[in-house]
Every structure is written in C-alpha cells, then in structure tokens.
Amino acid sequence: MILTAAPIGEYDRRVVILTRERGKISAFARGARRPNSALMGVTSPFSFGEFTVYEGRTSYTLVSASISNYFQELRTDVEGAYYGFYFMDLAGYYAREANDETEMLKLLYQTLRALTNVHIPNELIRCIYELKTITVNGEGPQVMECIMCGDREREKVFSIRRGGVICTQCAGHISDGIRLLPSTLYTLQYIVCSPVEKLYTFVVKEDVLKELKKLTKAYLDEYLGKRFKSLEILETIVR
C-alpha cells in the first residue's frame, strides 16, 4: 500500500510503500506526474495492490502497479481521509525496511475497509487500530492475567505504567490503577487477542467507548511518545 507520495523534480514522485516481503520501502516513480503516465493514478496514498519495482544499488524504482483497491470512498470524505492518513502514518512509524510486515499491512488494509463501513464509529476504529498496532509491534498491554502474580480469576485494575492489568490483591503496590467496566476489559482482551480479520465485527456502548478512548490515549502517550501532524489535523476536524 502507498503510505505517502511526494513530488520530486519536475515530473517524478517519491513514494513510500508498505509491503509484505520487504517491509517499508521508498521508490521513485519516474515521470509519474506527466498527464499521460501510467504511474500517475497508481502512486497516490491509499492505493493497494501489487507493485513491480526495480532494485537499484541505493534505491528502488517503481516500474508498474496493479491496484485492487483505491479506497475511493476515503478520497471524497475529509474526516475519513484524515483518519486514514493518521493510520498510515502510524503504520509507517512502526514498519521497518527488510522486515516481514504482513500483519501490519493486513491490519492497515482491514482498518481502511472498516472506515468505509458506516455501522462502525470512527472513534472505535481508531481505538482498535491503535491498540492492535502497538500489540503487533510488541508493545501491547497485558490484559489476560495480573502482571505481578499471574492471577486470572480476581478482579483487575489497569495500570498504564505497568503496562496492563493488576489484580486487586496486588493493586496496593501501585498508585495508578484504573478501574474499568467489565465490558471495557473484555473489549481490550478481544482487541489484543483476536486475529486481524475479526477485529471490526462489533460495536460498544457509549460508556465503554469513553473508557476505551481515555485508556488508549494514555497508553499511547506513555509508550509511543510521538505526535503526528495528521492526528493534529484530524482532532481539529472531529471536535
């Protein structure tokens, strides 16, 4: 999937592509900005498909592409587009070159598809995507058992600093325990543990979404430590 595209010189484009086999790569699309170029329509963000590239000594050159989904719905929806830009920025931040990014690409694709589904609130999609992204990349919260003693039966509170749930017996040793609704904890467990294909198959009540948004923001502030321009614009739009 094309994550970003920028003009280079008079007629070329530089694109960043998230791939399964090579991870995140940069490629030059020669002449892609010429009106009659076959690369003009396939080098825009959100373009998903098969890309043929030539590997040079220091960079890749995009030769051709067969696009299976342009996500046209997002191109005509300002809010949806900026959710998409933010999601692609987050994917680009975590993705690495020469790394197997199959799960990250699959997650991004399914998430953009979810954005075109009017039955799932965009705020919920954002929470799911953010939590699953950091989980796929090894920084997700422990939500199935107490981090301190491994208990699975007792009631739990959530600690941002400890990175997961802590049972009531161990909770006296922490100062940032957040008590969650049972439905919120179950939602967290479902997001963290479910395969990507089953993530966007549910909605939650408003009180659960409110807790989920607050917790996800606090968790990312603690473990991500980066702000994206696309997110700043998005939060201005959706206020």
Side-chain angles (χ1 to χ4, degrees):
M1 180 176 290
I2 301 283
L3 298 181
T4 64
I8 296 291
E10 192 172 357
Y11 294 112
D12 303 339
R13 271 184 185 155
R14 177 182 176 273
V15 294
V16 176
I17 311 174
L18 181 61
T19 74
R20 290 182 302 180
E21 303 89 343
R22 300 291 183 97
K24 182 176 67 174
I25 66 171
S26 296
F28 291 96
R30 309 293 181 190
R33 292 162 60 215
R34 292 181 184 275
N36 60 346
S37 171
L39 297 178
M40 186 176 190
V42 301
T43 52
S44 300
F46 302 123
S47 299
F48 177 86
E50 293 186 359
F51 296 86
T52 302
V53 297
Y54 168 75
E55 186 175 5
R57 293 174 63 183
T58 58
S59 64
Y60 293 91
T61 298
L62 179 62
V63 178
S64 64
S66 175
I67 304 301
S68 58
N69 196 335
Y70 286 96
F71 288 99
Q72 199 63 40
E73 302 94 330
L74 299 182
R75 298 168 188 263
T76 57
D77 173 11
V78 174
E79 181 178 317
Y82 272 98
Y83 269 106
F85 289 142
Y86 167 54
F87 295 160
M88 291 192 295
D89 279 349
L90 193 56
Y93 174 78
Y94 275 110
R96 296 289 178 265
E97 190 170 345
N99 192 40
D100 184 344
E101 296 292 353
T102 300
E103 280 300 295
M104 193 66 245
L105 180 60
K106 191 192 309 181
L107 173 60
L108 180 59
Y109 180 77
Q110 294 294 344
T111 302
L112 295 186
R113 285 188 61 193
L115 281 176
T116 67
N117 184 343
V118 297
H119 302 295
I120 307 177
N122 288 343
E123 290 178 315
L124 175 59
I125 293 171
R126 175 181 166 182
C127 290
I128 294 171
Y129 179 74
E130 289 174 332
L131 283 167
K132 196 64 175 180
T133 296
I134 55 179
T135 298
V136 166
N137 288 281
E139 298 179 346
Q142 167 58 264
V143 293
M144 300 306 295
E145 60 185 36
C146 175
I147 289 175
M148 300 179 73
C149 72
D151 175 75
R152 285 176 170 256
E153 303 300 325
R154 289 188 285 270
E155 289 187 10
K156 307 287 191 298
V157 295
F158 193 96
S159 168
I160 297 294
R161 287 198 294 271
R162 295 296 181 99
V165 294
I166 295 177
C167 72
T168 49
Q169 185 169 301
C170 298
H173 300 285
I174 64 168
S175 59
D176 69 328
I178 304 170
R179 214 168 266 282
L180 301 173
L181 293 167
S183 295
T184 305
L185 178 57
Y186 175 78
T187 302
L188 282 172
Q189 292 170 337
Y190 185 87
I191 293 169
V192 168
C193 299
S194 293
V196 170
E197 293 83 359
K198 295 186 177 181
L199 281 178
Y200 300 106
T201 57
F202 68 94
V203 294
V204 296
K205 293 183 178 179
E206 191 61 38
D207 54 350
V208 174
L209 180 57
K210 184 177 180 180
E211 284 194 347
L212 199 60
K213 286 165 56 180
K214 184 177 180 181
L215 185 143
T216 303
K217 182 182 184 306
Y219 196 88
L220 263 69
D221 286 346
E222 181 75 18
Y223 293 98
L224 180 61
K226 179 177 174 59
R227 291 285 291 178
F228 299 94
K229 185 66 177 178
S230 54
L231 178 57
E232 294 175 6
I233 296 173
L234 171 63
E235 290 180 338
T236 301
I237 291 172
V238 299
R239 275 176 187 161

